[in-house]
Amino acid sequence: MFLELIIRGLAIGLVYALMGLGLVFITGVMRIINFAHGEFYMIGGYMAYYSMSLFGLPFYLAVPVAMAGTFLIGAIVEKLLLSPIHTQNIEEPMNYALIMTFALLLFFRKLAALVFGPFYRKPIDYIPTDLHIVGVKISGNMVLSGLVSASIVLGLALFIKKSWRGRGWRAITQSYNGAKICGVDIGRESWISCGLACALAGAAGALVAPIFLVWPDCGASPLIKSYEVLAIGGLGSITGSLVAGVMLGVTETLGAFYISSAYKDAIGFVMMVLFLLFRPQGLFGKK
Amino acid sequence: MRKNEIIVTASMLILGLLAPWVVPQFWVTILSVFAYYAIVAIGWNIVFGYTGLFSYGHVAFPAIGGYTSALLAEYIGLSPFLGVVLGALAAGFTGILIGLIILRVRGFYLVLVTWAFAEVINVTIKAEYLITGGTGGFVAPPFFEGPDSELYGYFIGLGLMLLTFIVSAVLYHSRWGLYLFATRDDSDAAESMGINTRLWKVFGFAFGCAWAGMAGAFYAHFFTLVDPTIGGLDEMGKICLIVIIGGIGTVFGPLLGSFFVVIVSELIRGWVAGLSLFIFSIVMILAVRFVRGGFMEVINVLSPRFRDKYLQLIGKPKAF
């Protein structure tokens, strides 16, 4: 039983890490608090569902379609709404960009409810059979979403580490003005990174759509999880978000089983608050 | 208080007292809902607009106030009037505790901590269903028994709203208000002028939350039911929206905003479910993008022009 909980938590945790990484990324590069992050998860889920049910795409095409769609929406949102008003100052309490993303959260949620209706949608199972790993039975969808999440996170980490564009992103994270002086085109990198962060959320939504289903309010819980990952892992740390996501997933699964499933969502919150109070820089973040 | 604030308070009092005999019975309930939102929004305006703390967990305080009052009335038979006071006190003390915690965090970590607090309150209310009734809600006694209880409840709501408004207006023009604004605008500069910013942050936070708690207790006894949705994310969206489209950090903003939001959402209720929040989110996006100050900015820009027009009409020279 214990081993099954651990493996289940690991698979969920990797998806949390993917969501959290998007948030870490957008917070680092754009210095923005994105409340609409969970809504891109929802949009990704709907895109995967409709591209499979309406156009009959197989799942290995549906997930990239969802990623591309959310990338476009994220980039458009950044260009039209966020870049004109936000000030790159995360300590600023009167930051209107935060309020804007909050308005976007309501907008996307209510739009989805109006367009798609308040129904629970379930795409066809990606891998319909159960798999056996070290004697534990676990659904194929879960394994697939965990593995794909892990590979996306690792791929992005490699890209940020090695490529010139990734170097530019790291420069913006460290010093906004310094990056500007060294010739990083901040306006362009902003919309690319916003789109990319949204695409990560969309990928997570598309991957877990057959497990957790899709409905207009389904972005609420992943949004909370990704903020917990951000707070625990630390700002601007990819390793941190990976470790924090796995930690959160395993702790929650164990807590739901051994303590109380009613308080499952409270466990992550308490962890987040404790981290914010006693180690504000997170596990791997710098002060 | 300035002259225009006294005028607005007096006219609201007169109109509010006349309203039950002018408008249909049904609208008395809507006006009470308006009073509830106005109080909570004024509270959030004190927390965010005056003190500059973006609290994302403000709706937890109506839930605390409402459940405190309703539970006390149920289990020890406390009068609802004392319950309103105790609800405000309970929310205020919780506000002091949370305020002391959020002194340690800045910027958007503050958003996260207050949000986490609101969610934990919500989860606790839902999970302890044996005491609180869970998602089904908890029945509270009305202010007055009898056929006219709704009408009396409305008058109580009106009185509480005017009280909140007067206090927020007095605070705006007082020395304490200046301390709060200084803390909001530049914490370090305020500190160097000898203002105890830690004290004023906690004060601003707890003070705004206490009003919210009072509003929650009023809500519980007016509708004789309190359920976890008054502490939900949609409610926080509404409060945020009310203050943004009314005008952040102004005295009249929350009143104007809540009047607009409550009345408009009532007028379009019958059409499609969930349409009102969709329209409001578009209004909010446009407001944040183009008119940061909300209604108050529009009024401030237009009012000198109207005054000149008016003076021209009555044949007096322009005011300088």
Side-chain angles (χ1 to χ4, degrees):
Chain A
M1 196 65 219
F2 184 73
L3 197 65
E4 185 179 340
L5 289 175
I6 293 279
I7 289 180
R8 209 171 274 270
L10 199 68
I12 292 287
L14 286 169
V15 180
Y16 288 168
L18 184 62
M19 283 292 293
L21 180 63
L23 205 58
V24 166
F25 190 56
I26 198 170
T27 317
V29 176
M30 287 186 67
R31 320 254 158 113
I32 207 168
I33 307 163
N34 187 8
F35 270 123
H37 199 63
E39 303 328 297
F40 289 99
Y41 167 96
M42 182 261 297
I43 293 170
Y46 269 115
M47 280 184 169
Y49 171 75
Y50 278 107
S51 60
M52 284 174 83
S53 64
L54 287 183
F55 303 110
L57 292 181
F59 75 86
Y60 49 83
L61 285 180
V63 176
V65 163
M67 282 181 76
T70 41
F71 180 89
L72 269 181
I73 295 175
I76 291 169
V77 161
E78 203 277 341
K79 268 286 182 210
L80 281 184
L81 299 175
L82 294 180
S83 61
I85 59 166
H86 99 94
T87 51
Q88 292 275 351
N89 185 359
I90 201 157
E91 296 286 322
E92 176 80 30
M94 289 287 216
N95 197 342
Y96 284 90
L98 188 156
I99 298 165
M100 177 64 93
T101 60
F102 186 67
L104 284 171
L105 179 155
L106 289 175
F107 175 75
F108 282 128
R109 206 172 272 193
K110 298 300 162 190
L111 184 70
L114 286 176
V115 175
F116 303 124
F119 311 109
Y120 286 72
R121 310 279 190 187
K122 185 179 184 302
I124 311 149
D125 281 328
Y126 296 158
I127 297 179
T129 51
D130 288 339
L131 299 180
H132 293 267
I133 301 167
V134 284
V136 175
K137 200 173 88 170
I138 182 166
S139 88
N141 291 326
M142 206 81 142
V143 177
L144 179 82
S145 57
L147 287 181
V148 176
S149 300
S151 52
I152 293 177
V153 170
L154 291 180
L156 188 69
L158 212 63
F159 184 77
I160 290 177
K161 197 88 191 158
K162 295 288 178 196
S163 74
W164 269 104
R165 172 148 279 150
R167 198 167 289 191
W169 290 337
R170 275 185 289 148
I172 299 173
T173 312
Q174 281 169 10
S175 164
Y176 180 73
N177 288 329
K180 220 176 193 174
I181 291 166
C182 296
V184 179
D185 183 349
I186 301 226
R188 195 183 59 198
E189 300 309 324
S190 260
W191 71 256
I192 293 178
S193 59
C194 182
L196 194 59
C198 295
L200 294 181
L207 282 171
V208 297
I211 310 171
F212 297 129
L213 313 188
V214 189
W215 71 98
D217 284 353
C218 73
S221 155
L223 174 70
I224 295 166
K225 302 296 179 234
S226 47
Y227 271 105
E228 285 161 8
V229 168
L230 174 68
I232 294 170
L235 216 57
S237 159
I238 296 174
T239 335
S241 62
L242 199 58
V243 173
V246 171
M247 203 168 113
L248 189 68
V250 172
T251 320
E252 251 185 22
T253 323
L254 290 179
F257 186 74
Y258 288 109
I259 301 171
S260 157
S261 62
Y263 283 104
K264 176 168 167 268
D265 289 332
I267 294 166
F269 272 120
V270 173
M271 265 169 81
M272 174 169 97
V273 171
L274 289 179
F275 263 96
L276 286 179
L277 292 180
F278 300 110
R279 197 175 160 82
Q281 73 270 34
L283 277 176
F284 292 88
K286 290 186 192 71
K287 248 196 168 148
Chain B
M1 286 171 82
R2 298 286 188 272
K3 201 171 77 189
N4 50 358
E5 286 154 12
I6 293 172
I7 292 172
V8 166
T9 316
S11 53
M12 272 204 316
L13 182 65
I14 294 166
L15 286 178
L17 287 176
L18 288 178
W21 286 275
V22 181
V23 296
Q25 173 75 38
F26 164 71
W27 279 90
V28 172
T29 315
I30 311 298
L31 288 175
S32 310
V33 175
F34 159 64
Y36 166 74
Y37 278 114
I39 300 172
V40 180
I42 289 173
W44 197 62
N45 191 34
I46 292 174
V47 174
F48 177 50
Y50 291 11
T51 323
L53 304 166
F54 192 100
S55 165
Y56 196 65
H58 193 67
V59 285
F61 295 95
I64 289 175
Y67 272 98
T68 306
S69 180
L71 290 173
L72 284 177
E74 172 70 25
Y75 290 116
I76 65 169
L78 193 79
S79 145
F81 296 99
L82 274 177
V84 169
V85 177
L86 276 182
L89 285 179
F93 277 120
T94 323
I96 291 175
L97 289 181
I98 301 297
L100 289 172
I101 289 175
I102 60 176
L103 282 178
R104 291 178 64 98
V105 292
R106 299 186 88 159
F108 91 113
Y109 293 113
L110 190 146
V111 181
L112 294 188
V113 171
T114 48
W115 182 19
F117 167 71
E119 285 294 325
V120 168
I121 290 286
N122 220 339
V123 167
T124 313
I125 290 172
K126 280 180 191 159
E128 298 295 335
Y129 56 90
L130 290 177
I131 303 171
T132 60
T135 44
F138 190 81
V139 179
F143 284 108
F144 292 102
E145 302 285 349
D148 278 342
S149 72
E150 191 139 296
L151 187 66
Y152 293 128
Y154 162 70
F155 285 133
I156 291 167
L158 182 72
L160 292 178
M161 183 181 78
L162 288 178
L163 175 73
T164 318
F165 178 71
I166 292 170
V167 169
S168 83
V170 170
L171 181 68
Y172 188 85
H173 297 295
S174 70
R175 214 178 164 75
W176 290 13
L178 287 179
Y179 291 151
L180 292 180
F181 299 149
T183 311
R184 171 193 71 188
D185 291 339
D186 195 332
S187 188
D188 296 334
E191 192 85 46
S192 70
M193 301 296 284
I195 297 170
N196 188 349
T197 55
R198 296 166 66 84
L199 173 74
W200 290 107
K201 271 182 188 167
V202 176
F203 168 76
F205 190 82
F207 195 64
C209 294
W211 292 115
M214 190 187 79
F218 162 70
Y219 182 95
H221 291 299
F222 183 79
F223 288 102
T224 64
L225 183 76
V226 51
D227 60 25
T229 52
I230 70 166
L233 185 78
D234 274 9
E235 291 296 305
M236 191 63 225
K238 265 192 188 167
I239 303 299
C240 200
L241 176 90
I242 285 169
V243 178
I244 302 297
I245 64 180
I248 304 167
T250 59
V251 180
F252 295 116
L255 276 186
L256 276 175
S258 51
F259 193 75
F260 175 77
V261 165
V262 172
I263 300 298
V264 170
S265 66
E266 199 49 46
L267 289 177
I268 60 178
R269 178 184 290 275
W271 297 0
V272 187
L275 187 68
S276 58
L277 265 179
F278 177 65
I279 292 174
F280 291 146
S281 66
I282 294 175
V283 173
M284 194 164 158
I285 288 173
L286 293 177
V288 175
R289 178 71 180 80
F290 298 109
V291 202
R292 296 277 177 78
F295 283 144
M296 281 313 286
E297 187 178 316
V298 175
I299 289 174
N300 280 338
V301 169
L302 290 180
S303 63
R305 214 170 285 167
F306 280 135
R307 197 180 54 205
D308 292 348
K309 273 264 158 58
Y310 172 73
L311 291 172
Q312 251 176 4
L313 273 180
I314 61 172
K316 277 187 181 166
K318 275 189 177 180
F320 290 102

